[in-house]
């Protein structure tokens, strides 16, 4: 999909229903930041950055791929925290976007 929108199946035929890429990214960011001991990497003070801390990509097979860069607290277990982040993001995306197939990829970029 070359657009910035994921189109849902609309069985009524009354129009198109779409969810924007930014919506997926916002949902994932809010869900990940709700986990204690974890935080989505901030964009930083640079005026130009090649990578975004949260990125949603629409694959040809209809799946939405979410990539998150997170920072984890020293006191937290990294594996358990990452699993909790994935669960929260999966729950949030499922609740807010019907039955959209998705994949979640986490990258721990720093330990606080």
């Amino acid at each position: 999909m070359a657009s910035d929108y994921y189109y849902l199946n609309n069985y009524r035929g009354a129009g198109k229903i779409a969810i924007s890429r930014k919506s997926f990214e916002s949902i994932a960011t809010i869900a990940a930041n709700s986990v204690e001991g974890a935080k989505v990497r901030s964009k930083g003070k640079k005026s130009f950055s090649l990578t975004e801390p949260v990125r949603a990509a629409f694959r040809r097979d209809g799946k939405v791929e979410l990539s998150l860069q997170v920072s984890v607290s020293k006191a937290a277990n990294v594996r358990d925290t990452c699993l909790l982040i994935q669960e929260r993001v999966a729950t949030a995306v499922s609740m807010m976007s019907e039955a959209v197939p998705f994949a979640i990829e986490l990258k721990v970029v720093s330990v606080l």
Side-chain angles (χ1 to χ4, degrees), residues 89-106:
V89 171
T91 301
V93 170
S94 295
M95 286 175 48
M96 296 186 187
S97 63
E98 286 188 6
V100 174
F102 58 89
I104 302 167
E105 176 186 308
L106 287 179

Side-chain angles (χ1 to χ4, degrees), residues 4-6 18-25 56 58:
D4 282 335
Y5 294 93
Y6 183 90
I19 302 173
S20 74
R21 183 183 317 273
K22 287 289 186 187
S23 295
F24 282 108
E25 292 170 355
F58 301 143

Side-chain angles (χ1 to χ4, degrees), residues 75-110:
N77 182 339
V78 174
R79 183 176 180 269
D80 292 341
T81 303
C82 288
L83 183 60
L84 186 58
I85 291 169
Q86 285 180 319
E87 289 173 355
R88 293 253 177 105
V89 171
T91 301
V93 170
S94 295
M95 286 175 48
M96 296 186 187
S97 63
E98 286 188 6
V100 174
F102 58 89
I104 302 167
E105 176 186 308
L106 287 179
K107 181 178 180 182
V108 178
V109 292
S110 67

Side-chain angles (χ1 to χ4, degrees), residues 2-38:
S3 72
D4 282 335
Y5 294 93
Y6 183 90
Y7 292 95
L8 300 174
N9 290 331
N10 183 3
Y11 298 107
R12 288 187 172 178
K16 293 183 179 181
I17 300 173
I19 302 173
S20 74
R21 183 183 317 273
K22 287 289 186 187
S23 295
F24 282 108
E25 292 170 355
S26 295
I27 292 167
T29 301
I30 292 167
N33 283 336
S34 72
V35 175
E36 188 174 333

